[in-house]
Every structure is written in structure tokens, then in C-alpha cells.
Amino acid sequence: MAQRVLALTAEEAPERLQEALQSLGEGELGGMVTRQALRGRETAALLRAIFKGSPCSQRSGVLRRLQVYKHCIPLVESGDLHLGKVSEIIGLLMLEVRQLPGHALAELATLFVDVIKSGSLANGKSLELFSTVLTALASSKESLAYGQGELNGEEFKKQLINTLCSSKWDPQNVIHLANMFRDIPLSGEELQFVVEKILRMFSKLDLQEIPPLVYQLLLLSAKGSKKTVLEGIISFFNQLDKRQKEEQKAPQSVDLEVATTPLDQLRHVEGTIILHIVSVINLDQDLGEELIRHLKAEQQKDPARALCPFSVALLLSVAVKHRLQEQIFDFLKTSITRSCKDLQFLQASKFLQDLFPQQYDVTAVILEVVKNSAFGWDHVTQGLVDLGFSLMESYEPKKPFGGKAADTSYGLSKMPAQQACRLGASILLETFKVHEPIRSDILEQVLNRVLTKAASPVSHFIDLLSNIVVSAPLVLQTSSSKVTEIFDNLSFLPIDTVQGLLRAVQPLLKVSMSVRDSLILVLQKAIFSRQLDARKAAVAGFLLLLRNFKVLGSLSSSQCSQAIGATQVQADVHACYNSAANEAFCLEILGSLRRCLSQQADVRLMLYEGFYDVLRRNSQLASSVMETLLSQIKQYYLPQPDLLPPLKLEGCIMAQGDQIFLQEPLAHLLCCIQHCLAWYQSTVHLCQGAGDDDDEEEDVGFEQNFEDMLESVTRRMIKSELEDFELDKSADFSLSSSVGVKNNIYAIQVMGICEVLIEYNFNIGNFSRNKFEDVLGLFTCYNKLSEILKEKAGKNKSALGNKTAQSFLSMGFVSTLLTALFRDNAQSHEESLAVLRSSTEFLRYAVSVALQKVQQLEETGQTDGPDGQNPEKMFQNLCKITRVLLWRYTSIPTVIEESGKKKGKSISLLCLEGLLRIFNTVQQLYAARIPQFLQALDITDGDAEEADINVTEKAAFQIRQFQRSLVNQFSSAEDEFNSKETQSLITVLSTLSKLLDPASQQFLQFLTWTVKICKDNALEDITCCKGLLSLLFSLHVLYKSPVSLLRELAQDIHACLGDIDQDVEVESRSHFAIVNAKTAAPTVCLLVLGQADKVLEEVDWLIKKLTSLGSDTSEDSSQASNQVQALEKGVILQLGTLLTVYHELVQTALPAGSCVDTLLRSLSKTYAILTSLIKHYIQACRSTSNTIPGRLEKLVKLSGSHLTPQCYSFITYVQNIHSESLSFAEEKKKKKKEDEAAAVSTVMAKVLRDTKPIPNLVFAVEQYEKFLIHLSKKSKVNLMQYMKLSTSRDFRINASMLDSALQEQNTEDAENEPDNDQNSTAEHTDENQEPKKKRRRKK
């Protein structure tokens, strides 16, 4: 039959063809088409023939065509045909669709919907036909039957799409359907339907099928609904990530049926999807704009939903080769700093923590992106690197740090900008570790910045470089040319940068000979440079090389102060060739350094400070270094045993014109000798058991020399009088004359030499009485000079003179000395130590040096002397010193000690200052080791495991000791009260309180105790009062909101200072004895206002959160509305109590000045915040038909009854006290014309300045009332019934004055009088015009 149909077609006989087709039944027609298709013969020709014989003008033709379509669709989907044949059939059917009438199209479309519903699509090829049918249907104008009624083609199509999107889809067909919808013209509403349906299908699909579907969805988004598409994709993957994280936390609790996808598979799918989105954004710029817009809006509402690992990775990928880079980085940077600020804000307030239990931290999210990028996300890495550098540059440290403070203060930064800078460094370091291909690029960029930003601080880049090199030392080899280029510029870089840089690249010097050689060449040139900094850089470089290139036979550097990062490359360092080469190389460097001993004092100083470390790392160089030092000291040492003084001080200075400079820092040279000798004797002797005799003799030579020399110098220094050094009380020490400068240099050198010899003799003395008498003799010499310098400095009042010279004692020695002086109970030592203990001056000196050392450690992160840069040794010394100071302070109270001697600070007070500094320093530099620190202080519990240390318990124990001391101070007699000690005790307590866990019982006990102290003690010392109240507030905010506390304090201030209306007697309700006539104003008043301002800031922050949550229309709106209600309740309660605080303060007769000014500004801020709350409710009424809560009505009522009228009375009071001061000044002016003119103008200026906030306050009140009117209209609740008309304007009619004027003068004058009368008091408002423009409308 098929052949006949084809033949009739070929004969061009349409009538016969129609008859032949007419004779076929429905089944036969279908069978014929199927057979022809399966045989693969001329299927298209047969279909053409059937269509030719079935014209659409005849009803039978239309029906036959429909039969063919209905039969072909299952045939195509059956999977029995070859794909080429399928495409041929579909193509032909699509061409003929346009011929069909509307009702046939509708029937066909309905058939398709049924097929999709039943899920019988196999390959989805027929959907191409469906899209054509729907498109044709949409353009059909005839009315089509649908249910009971009729619809046109467009509406019919809409109903079909609605039905389709509401029905169940087979997950296998989703991609085909998504592809199909791209070819159908859709309205915005239809498109939204379709997109939402496809997004809902994500969860039903296998993970591997999602990327192609997302791609189809993105192409579909070209028609619209971009926001919905992006939001759906991001939230889907955010949920998957969250689920994955939860499972990793608790894998055992997961049911076996709900086993989710493996992590690597999920990451690869996410990576593919990000690539798809980026490729579509490259074609469609609007999609990129929409992505940023959507995330910005989302971030306002819920940052955790906006910036999840997936969306951040997506943003960074889009940023790489795109014009959106600047927008994206700006958005990310502001999000990071805002997140850091919010976290800081939340951590500082228990009230906020209760309202926001979950804290979102964007830094963790970004570091998670770095971790995820290891799964082949190469498209994200460039964005990560750019973001890292952008953060480090935008938020780099603003001022240079001294010494090593760079990484200490940088390492524990608290400011959001510093945290952002640290995050940038972490991103770069982690990216460096994860992605090998990009390593050299990161390294080169870091090195470039170190070089080009030489003027600004680069410590953060050097730290990063150091960490990078430690994580992969060999990567430097690939960039060795860049390193060499940096070396060429060493002499132009600041000395701190040079030292940091050389330390960081030091592992490379061990691997690459060429780099090492180029560095040596640069350093040798620099030694002869004209620039002092270049010569210092050369010395720093050479010392570093000496420390790190070991000579064969050197002792192990187990005590080394700076770990060497190149563990991977140390294998070949100790080979024979290397050690022999190292020896020659080190001796050559020493030769170069010897030349520096004839240069400026600064250069020599660096050498003397560096030699000790060189010896400790490279013990084989001992004899060379010691010989060098011996030849240097011999230039100044006078060997004759009776000659005084023993050293030539004239040789240490150099005159240049009329200026005098220090040429040889002799004390430093002696200090270096003393430390090197001590090290040499303690270490080398022990290891030389079976050494070479010749060597030993030679070594003993210089050792004996040094010992004799130091012995002789000690003996002669004790005998020397100040006159021997040309220094005595009559000498000139002023820094303005050259003689004075010379004397100052001499004095500092002599004091330094004494200190060095004190340390030497104590160390070698082995507790012998004679040696300790020598120590005391040396101290006497030191102390005489020290007293003279202090006395002269006191007379000159010079800032320079007041600075104590930096002590030459090493930190290790200070801890040993203090322990011996105060804690050594050994019987055998008692007699000798009694010599030192008998001198109170010496004890005071020992404690003050400890204080100086701790201060230096706190400021720069290191101290002078051996091991000064070794954090571990410094920590151990700190623990020892703290133990001694703590024991000394708690066992001998200041009161007992001070009764004996009044001169200078008592030792106990010095101990307390030292403890305060130490507690600060430990929290700054050793935050991670606080448990070990507290453990070390607790002598009773020495053997506890580190894991068992409870920081809160240990800190509470220490706090109790200081609490006892403070209570003793308060209970002491008035003449024995020591203000300085009390201040220090309060500061110590507040520092230690930071170690308590705010949720612990100990914290609550401490808070209760602090409240009790403030309530019971009528403290009149201003500074102590300020410290105690600040401590109270800082504790209280971590327990609960301090508003009720502020109310009680405000009531006390009111009772203490009286009312602005002198006739009113204030009820005396004294809650806190600390509020009294001396402290109430300005001290307590300003502190209360300051704390109230902090509460206002919190409330303001909450209102912003409320506004963003209010605009959130997501699915979980019930949860959001609960949170909104909780926030609204919190805000209104806080504001309500604050209004009662201000209610008290505005009725208080505050003295003119800072209190009044601060109160007026604070009130303006309060009204501004009340206004923003009212605006929030106006917005809420607009978006929903909610009525306003009764709580808000009460707040408005409270503001109308308890605040606004009192504000106006307070303004009158302020103006009165100012007009009084003006009239007082005018009277003076009349009496003394010329002299007082300046004083009057000062008073005028002060009055103008002090009254400036008044117009702003009036304006703020009226803005509040304006928005109340708006809210009243919106909510149909009359809120203005609680408000009284305002009276403080640029003019004011005073009723009582008007009455008296009416009696005295005629009516005409009386009308003008109040106006004139008020002109003088109203002048001040001219500066702020806003209030003038407003006029109250009567309703």
C-alpha cells in the first residue's frame, strides 16, 4: 500500500491519492507508516504523500493528518528508529504544523501534555514538535473549546503551560522540557511558572544531570526571570553544602537510606555549574549585573544566604575576565568589613547575642572557598589571588612598626580593617598551598610589592612571604631571578624590611649557590655605601648568613631562636663539601664585618647585638669572633692596674664641627663580650672534653684575657669616683651645649658598663659574698649617676631627660635576679643575698628594670640582649618574673612599705605596675598560651595536664588576690589611701576579667562584687571612680543590657546635683555611693551618657536589621516574623528604659560645659533613633495591614510625657545659665574696658559653641513628631494625643513676662516687648536654619 501511495504521488493524481488514503483505516495508516519507518525506506516521502493527500481544507484531511501526528509521536519516542530517521520525521512534521487549524493544534497540544504527564517520553525528540505546536497555537485567532467555555489561542497556550507546570514530570525529561521552553514565546508570568517548576525539579535529579539542566535554564533566563534563576541555583547548592557539612560533623547519625553524594562529586558539579554561569554571563552582561544586584539585596537581609561558599566562588570566577571586577571586589570588601564589624559588635554585647544566637562569619566562608577550589576549580583561583592582594592593599597597616612588632600587633589585630588584611594574607597563603600552577605568580606579586611599597609598611607582605617560603621552600628556586633583582635594591630599602626579607628568603640561600653569591656581592658593595641604612642592611645580611651557614663541627642549634623553614632542603647542607666551603665562606664574611668596626656607632651596634646569635648557631666561629672582640676592646682598655678609670671614654666620641657624636658604643661592646664569654664558658667547655690541645690553649688565651680584663675593670670601676669620668653634680648635662651632650654620652656609657659588670659578676659569683659586694659597689656607681641625671632632667624639664636609659641587663638575667632577691630561700645563699637585700635602692632598681623590659616586649614584641627575639624564652622569663612580682606584691602590702621611706615609688607599687603590663602583654603576644601562663603562676598545681587547665578558674583565683588588695585600699584610712595603686588595681582587674568566660559562675560573682564595691564606697578620687565605673559597664554588657543600671545612676546624679527647678526637692534614692558631689558631674554623668550612646548604637543597628528583615519575602517568613517581633520587643524595651534615664538627666541641674553639651547631642541622637523606629513601622504598615503593637504606643506615650516637655525646660535652663554668664561678662567689660575685651569674646564664643546643639535637638524632636503624624494616619491610631505643642523656637512668648508688661506699659509696647526680649537668647539658632523653616500645622 505504501508503494501505491508513493506511486500516486509521483503521478500527480491528487484525487486518486485522496481516495486511496480514504480507504485506509486508522490502524492501517499507522501500520503503514511504522513499517516504512522501521525498514528505513522513504519514510519522509510517504509522509509527504499522506500530507499531500490530506488537504487541510477538508475535515477528513485534517483528521487524517492528526492521526499521522498522533501515531508518529509514540513512534519517534519508542527508541526503535535510527536518530537520523527520527530527525527527518520530526522536521517534516514541524513544517506541516502551520497548516493545521486551531482546534487540531489544541487537540495535538493536549495530547502532548498527556504524554509528558504519563512520563512516556523516551528521548524527548518529539518535544521539538511540541514547541512548534504551542507557538502556532499562540498565534491562532479562532476560539477553542476549553472545559465549559471558549478561549483564544494565546490563553489556551497559557492554560496548557499552567497544567504542564502543575503536573508531575519524569526527572529524565526535565532537560528536554527546559530546552523546549526556550523555543516557545512566553509571557513574564508563564516564564516565572516554568523557571520555578524546573528549579523545584533540581532535588529530584541525579547530581550529574544538574549541570546541563542549569545551562538550559541560564539560556532560558535570556527571556527574563534572571533573579529567580540565580537565586534558585545559589540556594540549592547552599543547602547541599550545609547538608554535606552537617554529615561530616556527625557521620554516624545519618540514616543509610539518605546517603548523600560524595564530596568530590559535589565539588566537581559545582565547578562545572560555575563555569556554565560564567560562560553565559560573558554572552549576556545583564545576567552578571543581576547577580550582583541580587546578592547585594540578599546581603542586607541575610548575609549567610547571600555569601555562601558557592556564591563567593561564583562571584570570584565572574570577576576574573570581566568588566564587573571592580563592582564585585568592592561588594566583597564591604561585606567582609561589615561582617567583621557585626561580629565585633555582637561579641561586645550579651543583649545582642541573645537576639542573634547564630553569628555569621564571612572570613570562614571565603577560606572554605579556597579549600573547595582544590577540586579543580581553576577558574576561581585567579579571583582568589586578586581578592587576597586587593584586601591586603586596601587595609594595610597605616603606620610603621618598630622591630618585630610588625607581626605581633598585626597577628592579634582586633580592628575590622586589620582582620580584613589578615584574611587577604590567609587567602593567598592557602591558595598558594592548594594550587601549584599559580605559586610563582603569587610569589612574584608579593616580592614586587615588598620592593615598590618600600615607603609604606610592608610587614604584612613580608610575613606572608615568610609563611609561603616555609610551606614550600623550593618554589623560590623557580623565581630566583626575581629574588636576585630584589637583592640589587636592598640598599634602598628600610632596615626592618631588609631584615624581614632576608629572614624570609633564607632557605633559598642554602639551595641556590648563584643566589647566595649575588647576595654576597650586593652586601659587600653596600658595606662601602655612603648611605648609613645601606651599611646597616649589609651588616644585617652578613649576620644572617653567618647564623645559617654552619661550619663542620658546630653544635646543634637546638636552642635556636628562629626555626629554619627549609626542612626539605637541609639534607645536603652538612655534606663535607658544604661544611668546608661554609668555613671559608664564613671567615670571608667575618673579614668583611671587621671593617664595619671602624664605622658609625649604629653599624657597630648592630654587630655587637648580632654576634651572640652567630656564636650560638655556629659555635666553630667562636675563636674568630672572640678574637675580633678582644682586639676591639683593647683599643679602649687601659691595662695598668692602678689607673682610674679603666676605660678610655674619650676614644668613644667624635667631634664634627661643634657637634659631638658617639663613635664607639663601649657599653654595648662590653655587653656583647660578657654574653659571648658566658655562652662560650657554659657550652663549648662542656663539649670540648677530648678536643685538640693546641686549639684549647689558643682558646684559653682569649678566655683568660677577657676574664682578667673584666675582673680588673670591675675592681677599678668600684674605686672610681664620678670625677674620674669628668662627671659630677656640677657637670653640665643640658643637651643644648656640646659639653652637655658629651657628658650625657659619658654618663650613659658609664651606667651601661656598670650594668654589664653587675650581670657578669652576679653570674660568675656563684652566690659568693665578695662578688655580691662588688655588684653592690657597681650599683652604687650606677645609682649616683642615675640620680644626677634625673635631678638635672627635672630642672631642665626636658622630655628627653625624663626617659630612662635602656637597661643593659638581659631579660633572662632580670628573671634570675628577681627570683634570687625575693624567692630564694636556700640556706647556703642567705648570707650573700643579704648583702643585696639590704639595699632597698637595689631592689627597686631590679623591679624597675623588669618593668622596662616588659614594656619593651609589649611595644616591640622583643627585648634587647640574648634570646630577646626568641618568643619561647621570652614567655618563660615572663612567667618567672610574674611569679616573683605577684608574690612580692601580695605578701608585702604597700602601706607597710611606705611607712618607712617616702622617696620614689614603693617596690610594691612597681610590682603592681609590672603585673599590669605583663597581663596586657600576655594577652597581646601570647593569647594562645594564656592557659600555660596561668598554670605557671599557680605554684600549688604544677603538674596538671595542659588539657585540664581551666582558664576561667585560674584567672578567677588571681582576680581574688587583687580584689582583696582593692578592698584593703577602700577600707584604709583616708591619709593612707593610695590613688595610684587603686587605679592600677582596677586596671589589673579589668585586664584579668577579659580571661573569664562571661557564661561562668566566676564572672557573675565578679560582676556582683563590682556592683557592691560601687554601691558601698563613696570614692571621691575622679580617676579611680572613672576606672571602677568603666569596669562595671564592661562587665555588665557581657551579662545583660546595662539600661537599668544607667537608670539607677541617673537617679543618683539627679539626687546629687539637684533639679533645674530650684523649688523642687529631689527625693534622695542613693543606689550607688560612688556617685557623690565630687564625682557626679562631669565624671559619672559623662560615663553614663557614653554608655547610653553605646546602647543607642546597638538599637540603631537593630533597627537597620529590622528594616532589612521586614523587606524579606522568602518562604520561611513565619520564622522571620518571629525574629522581627523579638527584635522589635528588644528595641522598644531598650528605648523605653533609656527614656527614663534621660528623663532623670534633663531635670538635673548640670553645670555648664561638657555635660550639658554631651547630653544635648545624646538627646538629638535619641530622637533620631526614635524617628527611624517610627519610619520602620510606617514601612511595616505599608507592606502589611498590621496594626501597630501596644508596646510602641506606650513608648510614644512615654516620650510625650517624660521626655519632650522636660527637654524644652532643659533648653530654657541651658539658655538661662548661658545668658547669666554673658551678662556677668558684660558687667566685667564695663568695669575694665581694655583688659577684659579678650575674655568677653572668649565667653561669647564659648556660649555660641555650647548652645549650638540646641537647634539640632529642636529639629530632631519635630522630625520625630512629623513622622508620628504619618504613622497615625497609616495605622488609624492617634499617636499625637500624647504630644504637647513645642515651645522652644526662635521666638518664645513668656506668659508671666507678658502679664507684667501689660500692667506696666500700654498695649502697643507690650506687643513688641517679648519679641525684643527674646532676641538675645535666640541668636544662637541662626547657625542651623532647618528649625526655622518648620511650622506646626494645627489639625
Side-chain angles (χ1 to χ4, degrees), residues 312-324:
V312 171
L314 174 58
L315 279 175
L316 291 171
S317 304
V318 173
V320 174
K321 38 185 176 182
H322 215 268
R323 64 186 178 83
L324 298 171

Side-chain angles (χ1 to χ4, degrees), residues 446-454 458 461-462 493 497 501:
V446 173
L447 289 170
N448 278 337
R449 281 166 172 79
V450 170
L451 201 55
T452 53
K453 289 177 168 285
V458 287
F461 284 116
I462 286 178
L493 298 176
T497 307
L501 187 63

